[in-house]
Each structure stands twice: as structure tokens, then as C-alpha cells.
Amino acid sequence: MGTALRFDIQAQQGEARAGVLNTRRGPIETPVFMPVGTAGTVKGIRFEELESADLDAKIILGNTYHLWLRPGIEVIKAAGGLHRFIGWERALLTDSGGFQVWSLGALRKISEEGTQFRSHVDGSLRFLSPEVSMEVQAALGSDIVMVFDECAPGQASYEETERSMNLTARWAKRSKSAFERLQTEGADTGHVDAEGLSGEQALFGIIQGASHVDLRRTSLEHTVNIGFDGYAIGGLSVGEEKPMMFEVIEDIAPRMPKAAPRYLMGVGTPEDLVEAVARGVDMFDCVLPTRNGRTGQAFTSRGKLNIKNAQWVNDSRPLDESCPCSVCRRHSRAYLRHLYTSGEMLASTLLTHHNLAFFLDTMRAVRQSIRSADFPKFRLEFTERLCANGE
Amino acid sequence: MGTALRFDIQAQQGEARAGVLNTRRGPIETPVFMPVGTAGTVKGIRFEELESADLDAKIILGNTYHLWLRPGIEVIKAAGGLHRFIGWERALLTDSGGFQVWSLGALRKISEEGTQFRSHVDGSLRFLSPEVSMEVQAALGSDIVMVFDECAPGQASYEETERSMNLTARWAKRSKSAFERLQTEGADTGHVDAEGLSGEQALFGIIQGASHVDLRRTSLEHTVNIGFDGYAIGGLSVGEEKPMMFEVIEDIAPRMPKAAPRYLMGVGTPEDLVEAVARGVDMFDCVLPTRNGRTGQAFTSRGKLNIKNAQWVNDSRPLDESCPCSVCRRHSRAYLRHLYTSGEMLASTLLTHHNLAFFLDTMRAVRQSIRSADFPKFRLEFTERLCANGE
């Protein structure tokens, strides 16, 4: 371990860091936002658009849970891994499936060994464990693998959270052992020889502990002691209050290993991203730009905008007058509203494209401002502009 | 009239013609296929893709009925016409709404004056007539306007068809009068000054007469006597048998004015297009590539292919091994099947893209073969290949 990924910090201002994450698929500038490609597609968007200068996403996320259930690992293995199956040569990070099976609630049963649940696709009984998750992620051949963890609800009691956090630590150890065995066996379908790197998959640990800061610190200690290529903060944005989320990030992120990438899982709005960067986070993923795009909500530099509103019926302005994306260059709010109210799928495609452009542009601006030592000014102006509420 | 459009035939082989339709939006090589953009969007496809070298659609169709009801003419007028509203600067043809209201069946009432019907959007009572259709199409500012006609079912009796065909002739005269008045008044929102052309909208007449060839000939005579920029064959592919359709085309197309474009409305499969070109047709529109794309059917050089079929689960081949489109260059049948069975909208987008590429490529090959005097050979080989049934 340790040679699968190289992280170079190139500028720092306060806790905010700008750097490069060198993966076997090439360099990725950080802080970075990863669009979510649940079932092997970032919903509504073609890969050509993700690669275009407009978006230029360097890494996307795949969901182990969804891909394991459909199309299934045999299909993806037969294709030669997830990259080849979906036709994407840039970096891929896969989650462990832990969060998805945890989200099933009453439909799953967690034991020391792992989690039993019923497939939402065909109702079959399935079992996910650290070992199974590592096997599936090796078959997917993702460039960054996440350990199999257990999540605790945002309002979980101290005792419940402690029990869960300790289970996560034991699962993290089992994940790492299984992962190392699989790397040795050559089970990784995505192996790419990379200059200065081992070409192996990278493995990230996950810090749990809900909103209990001392448990978070313990979880961090357990995770660092096991040792990973990068470290994630999991179990946030799962129902806790926002000030609580930032309290955890503010306490934990700066204590995480400085030389490794820090990944805040499943967060968040554009302002959340900027605020988390200010506290030392390097990587993000979130379904907001894609999911909200499909339900008619645009993220703009002046706040959120609901394209369904009658006020846009004759509005010839683009979604965001300061956005250079292909949707804003070409289409009016009036047209996008018409597409949405007519149930045309192009509405989802165009809103998703713009939202991803806004998230990815925001991260580009964040990186630039850290490099030019202007991050505090950027952060202030960005947040103030967002209050204009789409107008 | 007569200066709104210039049609130059540059090569002819048998009845098949290859030429250029000079419109105020630029030249369009014929025979040409027009993708259908019902509600101001070719479903599932971005305009950037339609303009790309892959598809390079020079003209698309808009539906007067749909756009009149939603978003409504006031919205499109406020935007400065349909081109500006949707963000498309290439040529647009609009139908008259006649076929759509006729398709409503029991929900509409046809009189000498026009057709009364209930809007499928809000249930309101609406009235469409030659005059209203011309006003709506002037407000849309399409480059080619179709007269308001009545259709007769494929199996209509002689008397019923004769009555309908005569009504169509009277409506054609009223359409032309209203159209000329609107051009004089400058009601056309899409006016573009064009070298060597008047810059006005062009108006096409429609030949009706169901499957009764002598009524078709009479309808042709009526229509030519009124005088239009181009002539369409309407009321085919509406339930009649395919040999009957070709019998009508074979008889009527060669009798249509040689110096004007001939447009076969709403037809058809790739083999229909090639067979109609062989009988002298220059222009086509059809929902098949887009609609069937959304239901999982691909058109390929070796026939139709249903992407849902389990036989493709591990098939790494593209939809069509001889197709150069971006979908076939990148994605496997296995991946497309996974997207479709997972209900991912990208399945519709990618299948629609490929289908349009196949239709538009076929027309490119048709044009090339006429110019190089190879059309009969192309026609034979194309049709033989289609029998392979997607394999």
C-alpha cells in the first residue's frame, strides 16, 4: 500500500488545500467533485459531455450495491471490468455498498459477519460483508475502493454510535486483509500500469461516529492505525443538523493525515462544498446536481431556481447569466420550462448538464482561489451571491 | 411565390433524384430525412448532437398542433419565433396540425370551416382551420409551411375519400390565400434574408386520396393548379397495406412537378425510404428512429435489433458493426441492454442517437449512390443486408 496513489499538496490557505491526486488513470486536481454514476451511468448525461471542456469530470463514482445486483458481477467481469463495460477510461471510485444496504432499514439485518438483505431488483436474499465488498470492487476494477463500513443515524445515541463505530473498525481491518489478498491474486480487472505508482487499486478507510466528536476522533485513530491510501468522513448528511455536520468536519478534517486525500462522502450543496474545503476536505461526491436536475431544480451562482415556476414562462435569460456552459449559452429559462412542463426528457438532460457544470466550475474556482491565495475572498463573495435566490 | 425556395436536381437515375433544396436557412442536400421535433425538441437528443458530424441534420420538423397548445403561440412569438425559442438556426418545417387533429378521432368535429377539438393538454375547446393554421405557422416562423388538409383512413371508401379530397382542395386554396396575406403583412417571425431567395416562408401543398389512385391523380391536379413551392404526399402509412402504399407512390410521385421537391409525409422504415427514393421522392419525416429508440429498438444495417433481448447480456459488439456513430464507437450491446433494463434514460438517448445516425447515414449513402450512378446496386445490397435481423 501507499504506492497505489500519490497525493501532492501544492497550495494551502488556512485549512484549505489545493493539490493533485495522482491515480493510475492520471492526475486529478483537488479539491474535486465526483459526479455520481450509480448504475454505470451519470443519469441523463452522456460520457462525451462529462469529458467535454464544459464539465471535464476527471473521476466519477459507481455504486457497488447497484452494480452488484444489476447487471451483476459476472457481466462486468466478462466485459473486463467497469471501465470497459461502461466505456469510461478516466478514474472511477466505488463505494462499498455499506451505506446502501444500511439505507434499506428494516429490509436488512446486520451481524458481526456482515449484512443480509433482499435485492430491490429481484427480491433474492443477498449477503454483503467486507470480504464480498472487496471481491465485488476488485471485479469492478475501480481505481479507488472504499472499505465496507456501517453507518449510524445522525441522531444515534452515544452507545449505539460507539457499537457501530467499533464494528466499522473491525470491518475496516477485514476489508484491508481481503483487499490485499485480492491485489496479490490479481483479481483487479482495472489494472493499469502507471508511472511511479503500483498500478494497484487504492483503498480508502472511513471514519464514522455520527455527531459524537470524541467517537469520531477514536474512529479516526482506529482507521489511521490500520493504514489506508486515503481517508473518508462517512455518515454525515444523513439527517443531522447542518451546524452539527460542520462541527464534526471542523474538528476531524484537520486531524486527518495531512499527506493523504480527505474525502467527505455524500456532501453536498455548492455552499457545503466550499465550507468543507475551508475546513480541509479534498474530495466530494453528491447526487444533488443530477437528482435535482431531473426534478427541475437548477443550481446557479445566485442560488437555486425552480424551472417549473410560471415566472419563467417568457424569460429569455439563461439559467445562470454568469455560467459559460453549453446549456446557458444556448437555451432560455422559457424553453427549459416548456420542456419540463411538457415532460420532455431533454429538460432533465439539460438541467443535469448545467448543474454539473456549476458544481465542477465551482470546484475549479475554489482550486484557483487557493492557488492564488484568494480563497477567503472567493468564499465570502460566493456565499453572498448565492443569496440572490436565482434572480 | 416560387422565390421562397429553389430546388436544383443535380443527378437522376431512373426516377431517383439527388439535388439541393435551397432554403433561406441554407442548402439542404436531397433526398433528405427530417427528424421529428414534435414539441420543440427531437426527443432525447440535444441540438448539439443533431448538428454534429455524426448526424448533421439540416432540417427538422415541428408540430403545429403540439406547439400551438403548449407552450402556445404567445410564448413563441415573445421569444421571436420557434428557431429562437428552441435555439436552432437550421431549417424547420412545420406540419399544419391537420393530421394531429384528424388523429384525435371521436374527440374532433370536422366542418367546411375547419376542425373543432378538445386540447389534450387542458381540455379546452379549440378550433383549427386553414386560416388559423397559417397564422400559427407564421408565428412559429418555420421555413417550410404545410397547407391545412384533411386525411382519410387507409381503407376509406371511394365516396368518403372523394369528399375528403375535395375538402382538402378547398382548404388548400384558403391556406394559400391566408398564407400570402400573412407574408405581405410580415407576420412571419422567422424571416431571414437569403441570397437569391425572397426570404419568405415556403408553402407546400398536400396530395390526398387514400389508396384510390384516380382520386390521388385528381388531388395532384387540384394542388398543382393552385401552385405551391413544393408538393407532399399525405395520408399514407395510416393503416393501409404496404404494397398499396408503394402503388400510390409509384403512380403519383413521377407525375408530380419535376422541378419542385416531393415530400412523402410520415414515412417510414429505412427500406421504405430507399424504395420511395427509387420512385422519385425527395423528402421524408418519421418518428420511427426516435420513438423506437425510446422503446429499445435499434435500426441497423442488418435489420432491427431489440436491445431488451437476453441474448445481448454479454455481447461486447456495438449495435451495428458497420456504423461509425459515437454510440457504436463507444458502447456495447451488453451495456445498452443494462441501461435499458435498469430504466436509465441514457438508453433512450443513445438508441435514439444511433437510430437517427442510421437513417441520416442511409440518406447520405442514397445521395452518393445516385450521384455516382450506383443507386440500383446500393438499393439491392442495402435491402439484402437488412434481412440479417440484427445479428
Side-chain angles (χ1 to χ4, degrees):
Chain A
M1 308 259 306
T3 55
L5 208 64
R6 202 181 64 244
F7 183 53
D8 301 323
I9 298 172
Q10 298 177 328
Q12 179 148 7
Q13 196 176 20
E15 291 296 335
R17 302 128 51 100
V20 176
L21 187 63
N22 295 284
T23 76
R24 62 188 188 179
R25 301 276 170 177
I28 298 167
E29 287 191 59
T30 62
V32 64
F33 178 79
M34 303 183 281
V36 177
T38 303
T41 155
V42 176
K43 286 182 195 295
I45 286 280
R46 291 183 61 165
F47 289 113
E48 287 85 352
E49 295 294 342
L50 288 168
E51 292 162 351
S52 73
D54 243 25
L55 303 185
D56 200 18
K58 299 292 192 190
I59 176 167
I60 63 174
L61 185 142
N63 283 123
T64 287
Y65 169 83
H66 288 92
L67 293 162
W68 182 42
L69 297 187
R70 185 170 55 194
I73 287 315
E74 293 314 315
V75 168
I76 293 176
K77 263 189 179 164
L82 185 57
H83 289 87
R84 286 189 184 167
F85 179 64
I86 69 177
W88 172 256
E89 294 190 353
R90 296 187 178 188
L92 281 169
L93 179 148
T94 45
D95 65 4
S96 68
F99 181 74
Q100 259 88 17
V101 294
W102 174 79
S103 307
L104 294 172
L107 298 169
R108 48 94 178 127
K109 205 181 134 193
I110 299 175
S111 67
E112 181 66 31
E113 185 56 23
T115 306
Q116 193 175 63
F117 65 99
R118 287 206 178 271
S119 158
H120 77 279
V121 175
D122 62 7
S124 63
L125 208 57
R126 310 291 287 248
F127 186 76
L128 197 54
S129 67
E131 290 75 18
V132 173
S133 176
M134 293 306 108
E135 275 168 33
V136 173
Q137 292 183 75
L140 294 173
S142 48
D143 306 295
I144 299 176
V145 167
M146 301 302 297
V147 297
F148 187 69
D149 62 335
E150 205 217 350
C151 193
Q155 308 84 350
S157 70
Y158 192 91
E159 291 66 31
E160 189 185 348
T161 306
E162 189 172 28
R163 183 207 54 74
S164 168
M165 181 270 286
N166 283 322
L167 180 62
T168 287
R170 294 192 297 277
W171 283 0
K173 266 186 214 159
R174 283 168 53 191
S175 292
K176 189 175 171 184
S177 301
F179 175 86
E180 289 183 331
R181 177 178 52 76
L182 290 159
Q183 297 302 308
T184 311
E185 289 172 1
D188 165 21
T189 61
H191 191 95
V192 173
D193 283 319
E195 205 174 334
L197 297 172
S198 66
E200 294 189 354
Q201 292 180 289
L203 180 63
F204 279 25
I206 303 178
I207 298 154
Q208 290 288 358
S211 50
H212 304 282
V213 170
D214 65 323
L215 293 180
R216 286 275 176 187
R217 289 190 191 176
T218 309
S219 181
L220 170 60
E221 200 188 325
H222 288 163
T223 314
V224 171
N225 284 344
I226 300 169
F228 294 98
D229 297 303
Y231 298 89
I233 305 178
L236 287 181
S237 204
V238 292
E240 79 286 0
E241 298 293 324
K242 213 154 245 197
M244 183 63 82
M245 174 175 100
F246 282 111
E247 194 184 305
V248 170
I249 299 169
E250 189 153 329
D251 188 86
I252 296 300
R255 296 174 194 273
M256 292 165 75
K258 297 218 178 307
R262 302 164 175 170
Y263 165 27
L264 178 58
M265 301 182 80
V267 176
T269 64
E271 53 271 36
D272 289 344
L273 267 50
V274 171
E275 290 307 307
V277 166
R279 290 162 175 80
V281 175
D282 307 303
M283 299 170 69
F284 302 89
D285 82 279
C286 191
V287 296
L288 277 180
T290 42
R291 179 178 294 165
N292 290 22
R294 296 197 303 283
T295 58
Q297 190 174 65
F299 290 92
T300 83
S301 59
R302 301 172 72 78
K304 291 179 198 161
L305 182 158
N306 189 330
I307 202 64
K308 287 166 276 193
N309 287 353
Q311 71 187 112
W312 315 127
V313 69
N314 279 315
D315 199 315
S316 62
R317 289 177 298 170
L319 287 173
D320 186 342
E321 288 176 287
S322 33
C323 177
C325 88
S326 58
V327 178
C328 288
R329 286 201 307 273
R330 184 162 202 160
H331 297 300
S332 66
R333 296 180 192 181
Y335 177 61
L336 294 168
R337 179 180 184 277
H338 161 66
L339 291 178
Y340 192 88
T341 56
S342 302
E344 288 290 345
M345 104 174 76
L346 191 62
S348 295
T349 296
L350 297 180
L351 285 171
T352 298
H353 182 102
H354 163 77
N355 283 350
L356 284 174
F358 182 65
F359 273 64
L360 292 160
D361 279 347
T362 297
M363 296 314 272
R364 267 188 283 275
V366 162
R367 293 193 295 266
Q368 180 52 40
S369 71
I370 298 170
R371 286 177 189 278
S372 58
D374 280 332
F375 180 68
K377 183 162 166 280
F378 169 83
R379 179 183 173 190
L380 188 68
E381 290 175 359
F382 180 80
T383 310
E384 278 178 358
R385 243 191 339 265
L386 282 180
C387 298
N389 205 20
E391 285 291 339
Chain B
M1 306 262 306
T3 55
L5 208 65
R6 202 181 64 244
F7 183 53
D8 302 323
I9 296 173
Q10 299 177 329
Q12 180 149 5
Q13 195 176 20
E15 291 295 336
R17 302 126 53 99
V20 176
L21 187 63
N22 294 285
T23 75
R24 61 188 188 178
R25 302 275 171 179
I28 298 167
E29 287 191 60
T30 62
V32 63
F33 178 79
M34 303 183 282
V36 177
T38 303
T41 156
V42 177
K43 287 183 195 295
I45 284 281
R46 290 184 61 166
F47 290 114
E48 288 84 352
E49 295 293 343
L50 288 168
E51 292 162 352
S52 72
D54 242 26
L55 303 186
D56 200 18
K58 299 292 193 191
I59 177 168
I60 63 174
L61 185 142
N63 283 123
T64 286
Y65 169 82
H66 288 93
L67 292 163
W68 182 42
L69 298 185
R70 186 170 56 195
I73 286 315
E74 293 314 315
V75 167
I76 293 175
K77 263 188 179 163
L82 185 57
H83 289 87
R84 286 188 185 167
F85 180 64
I86 69 177
W88 171 256
E89 295 188 353
R90 297 187 178 187
L92 280 169
L93 179 147
T94 44
D95 65 4
S96 67
F99 181 75
Q100 260 87 16
V101 294
W102 174 79
S103 307
L104 293 171
L107 297 170
R108 46 95 178 131
K109 203 181 135 192
I110 299 175
S111 67
E112 180 67 29
E113 184 55 22
T115 306
Q116 194 175 63
F117 65 98
R118 287 206 178 271
S119 158
H120 77 278
V121 174
D122 62 7
S124 64
L125 209 57
R126 308 291 288 250
F127 186 75
L128 197 53
S129 66
E131 291 76 18
V132 173
S133 177
M134 293 305 109
E135 274 168 35
V136 174
Q137 292 184 74
L140 294 173
S142 48
D143 306 296
I144 299 176
V145 168
M146 301 302 298
V147 298
F148 188 69
D149 63 332
E150 207 218 347
C151 194
Q155 309 82 352
S157 71
Y158 192 89
E159 291 67 30
E160 190 186 347
T161 305
E162 189 171 32
R163 183 207 54 75
S164 168
M165 183 269 286
N166 283 323
L167 181 63
T168 286
R170 294 191 297 278
W171 282 2
K173 268 186 213 159
R174 283 169 53 193
S175 291
K176 188 175 173 185
S177 302
F179 176 83
E180 288 182 334
R181 176 177 54 74
L182 290 159
Q183 296 303 306
T184 310
E185 289 171 3
D188 166 22
T189 61
H191 192 94
V192 173
D193 284 317
E195 206 175 335
L197 297 172
S198 66
E200 292 187 354
Q201 292 180 289
L203 182 64
F204 279 23
I206 304 177
I207 298 153
Q208 290 288 357
S211 50
H212 305 282
V213 169
D214 65 326
L215 293 180
R216 286 273 175 188
R217 290 190 190 176
T218 310
S219 180
L220 170 60
E221 199 186 329
H222 288 162
T223 313
V224 171
N225 285 344
I226 300 170
F228 293 97
D229 296 305
Y231 297 89
I233 304 178
L236 286 182
S237 205
V238 293
E240 80 284 359
E241 298 292 324
K242 210 152 248 196
M244 182 63 80
M245 174 176 101
F246 282 112
E247 194 183 306
V248 170
I249 299 170
E250 189 153 328
D251 188 86
I252 297 301
R255 296 173 193 272
M256 291 165 76
K258 297 220 176 306
R262 301 164 176 170
Y263 166 26
L264 178 59
M265 300 181 82
V267 176
T269 63
E271 53 270 36
D272 290 343
L273 267 52
V274 171
E275 289 307 306
V277 165
R279 289 160 175 82
V281 175
D282 308 303
M283 299 169 69
F284 303 90
D285 81 277
C286 192
V287 296
L288 277 180
T290 43
R291 179 177 293 165
N292 290 21
R294 296 197 302 283
T295 58
Q297 189 175 65
F299 290 92
T300 84
S301 59
R302 301 173 74 80
K304 290 180 200 161
L305 180 158
N306 189 332
I307 202 63
K308 289 165 276 193
N309 287 354
Q311 72 186 112
W312 315 126
V313 69
N314 279 316
D315 198 315
S316 62
R317 290 177 297 168
L319 287 173
D320 186 341
E321 287 176 289
S322 35
C323 177
C325 89
S326 57
V327 178
C328 287
R329 286 200 307 273
R330 185 161 201 160
H331 297 300
S332 65
R333 297 180 191 182
Y335 178 61
L336 294 168
R337 178 179 186 276
H338 162 66
L339 291 179
Y340 193 88
T341 55
S342 302
E344 289 290 344
M345 100 173 79
L346 193 62
S348 294
T349 295
L350 297 180
L351 285 171
T352 298
H353 183 102
H354 164 77
N355 283 350
L356 284 174
F358 182 65
F359 273 64
L360 291 159
D361 278 348
T362 297
M363 296 314 273
R364 269 188 282 275
V366 162
R367 293 192 295 266
Q368 180 52 41
S369 71
I370 298 171
R371 286 177 188 277
S372 58
D374 279 333
F375 180 68
K377 181 161 167 279
F378 169 84
R379 179 182 172 189
L380 187 68
E381 289 176 358
F382 181 81
T383 311
E384 279 180 356
R385 243 193 336 265
L386 281 179
C387 299
N389 205 20
E391 282 294 339

